[in-house]
Amino acid sequence: MQAELLPQAFEALRIGVGFLWTAAWAIIMGLVITSLVQVYVSKERMASVLGEGDVAGLTKATLFGAASSGCSFGAVAIGRGLFKKGAHVVNFLAFMFASTNLIVELGLMILILLGWEFLVAELLGGVILIAVMAVIVHLTLPENLFEDVREELNERDHEHGVSEDPTCGMEGNDEHSIVTDGGETLKFCSEGCVETYRQEAASTGGWRDELLSWGGWYKIGNQYRKEWSMLYKDVIAGFLISGFVIVFVPQWVWNSLFLQGDGLLASAENAVMGVAIAVLSFVGSMGNVPFAVALWGGGVSFAGVIAFVYADLITIPVLNVYRKYYGLTVMAYILGVFFVTMAFTGFLMEQLFDALGIVPNLAGGTTASEQTYFELNYTFYLNLIAFALSGFLLFVYRRGLGAPGQYRDPVCGMRTDDSGPTVTRDGETYHFCSNACKRRFEEMPGEFDQIEPVASGAATGGHDHH
């Protein structure tokens, strides 16, 4: 028995790592794009327009979610912040749906591992998910339940001194906090976000200026690091588990759980079972896509697989977060609404695709065990580019976090010292992180008439407090 298990375990690892290698460049490029958007989208401004549960508010919540984090836990945490600030229930739930189903990195990963049909079902289904959820919530929302929970949440956070990081919307902590000159205490989730805030406070350039500066790329690097810190466990676990599921789970298991056939009953049962397995899988975020590949290879229908992909917001770990944030009653309500919405949308997608004749052929193509993953092909070169880009962002992040000097670049906010480029105007010397920022300062001097050379300790408008 042991002699058989060892080769099977190696095969499972080969498939899991092979899936990860195949999708690595897509994940990295998607996270870079997501990080870029998040750095330049104001969460405060967006929260202020999500207070109404109308079509306009729902649309804005969807667009904002699509530009946000792909991590289930990150989406829930940011959604909590939006809810606290007054976002309507429908809108903060729509935000969470969009941020886990309509994001770039997830779409690329689905396209590579499952095919264009699943990508279309994910994008179209993501919009339908939000519409169906909005209808269900408007019809079933318990009167005053969420308003009472919102008041309790704000009171509890105030009593415990809990506050959101002003740069990213995650929960701040006492270890990374500053006190402004006005006496306000700001809490951040990490040292990287403290530095981002300092740069934003000291800079006056626009986003185009920042993209040509070290300071702008530092902010993107910090956000990219944060995205990976939230996602990497789910991503790695999802790929590895998928390999072991493909190798070790026999076909009879899938046949016993999922009805076979083409009828409406089989399609509906598969969609419900797909969501149920997602709840119990413990694999969320983008880690459920390789798991979905295992389900697809096991003969699960299109409805079951796409419903499984939709359901990363109701895995057991995420449900536990809802319980801690909002209590058991709200957790149960969210589970019920999301479960019905996800299963129905998965069922609807299969019926629509079947009517259009574009349900992918389950028997077509090679199996996961037959595929060769590590070759000198386009995947190899795209991964090299993606890994190089990751290395560059990590370098910029570390450079910004540990940059020496007592000055702040007035264009991008990057910390700098006497060794960098300088400009003297009206008896004041301004220090820059690069010649690009210096040229911008010289080209548009009027934009900086009110700017004084800022020392690093004053760039926050306050001081560190640990």
Side-chain angles (χ1 to χ4, degrees), residues 103-245:
I103 51 174
V104 176
E105 59 269 31
L106 180 68
L108 289 172
M109 198 162 148
I110 290 174
L111 177 63
I112 292 169
L113 295 180
L114 287 167
W116 68 267
E117 298 93 343
F118 280 95
L119 174 60
V120 173
E122 175 70 13
L123 298 177
L124 177 60
V127 175
I128 293 175
L129 275 170
I130 293 169
V132 172
M133 178 275 298
V135 171
I136 293 176
V137 170
H138 278 299
L139 292 175
T140 66
L141 185 65
E143 187 176 0
N144 297 327
L145 172 62
F146 279 85
E147 289 306 316
D148 293 341
V149 169
R150 196 195 313 265
E151 288 184 18
E152 292 174 7
L153 187 61
N154 279 297
E155 289 176 4
R156 186 171 71 242
D157 284 357
H158 179 72
E159 290 174 1
H160 291 86
V162 176
S163 61
E164 282 80 39
D165 185 323
T167 66
C168 70
M170 301 295 286
E171 186 174 315
N173 56 63
D174 292 328
E175 181 183 357
H176 304 101
S177 64
I178 64 171
V179 179
T180 68
D181 291 338
E184 181 185 7
T185 298
L186 302 178
K187 296 182 180 180
F188 302 83
C189 69
S190 65
E191 184 182 358
C193 281
V194 174
E195 174 64 17
T196 294
Y197 178 81
R198 286 171 169 162
Q199 289 191 17
E200 290 175 348
S203 64
T204 55
W207 65 270
R208 292 183 180 85
D209 301 319
E210 293 200 354
L211 287 178
L212 297 175
S213 70
W214 286 113
W217 281 99
Y218 165 82
K219 295 170 189 173
I220 298 170
N222 176 54
Q223 187 61 41
Y224 179 74
R225 173 197 62 82
K226 290 185 61 180
E227 293 293 326
W228 265 119
S229 70
M230 293 186 290
L231 285 170
Y232 79 95
K233 290 181 182 178
D234 278 333
V235 170
I236 294 174
F239 280 105
L240 294 181
I241 290 172
S242 68
F244 280 86
V245 169

Side-chain angles (χ1 to χ4, degrees), residues 344-423:
F344 173 76
T345 305
F347 168 77
L348 184 64
M349 285 296 99
E350 180 167 85
Q351 301 313 307
L352 175 61
F353 277 46
D354 186 54
L356 296 175
I358 56 174
V359 174
N361 181 11
L362 183 59
T366 58
T367 66
S369 297
E370 295 170 341
Q371 290 184 37
T372 301
Y373 299 100
F374 305 99
E375 297 179 296
L376 198 64
N377 53 16
Y378 78 94
T379 299
F380 175 83
Y381 294 109
L382 288 173
N383 278 340
L384 283 185
I385 295 171
F387 294 151
L389 181 57
S390 281
F392 169 74
L393 290 175
L394 179 60
F395 165 76
V396 173
Y397 167 72
R398 297 305 305 174
R399 183 182 189 273
L401 206 58
Q406 67 272 34
Y407 304 107
R408 290 278 176 182
D409 185 321
V411 176
C412 72
M414 189 77 169
R415 189 161 41 203
T416 186
D417 58 17
D418 294 323
S419 65
T422 61
V423 171

Side-chain angles (χ1 to χ4, degrees), residues 40-50:
Y40 296 107
V41 172
S42 168
K43 294 176 175 59
E44 289 291 335
R45 184 168 63 250
M46 186 55 65
S48 68
V49 300
L50 297 185

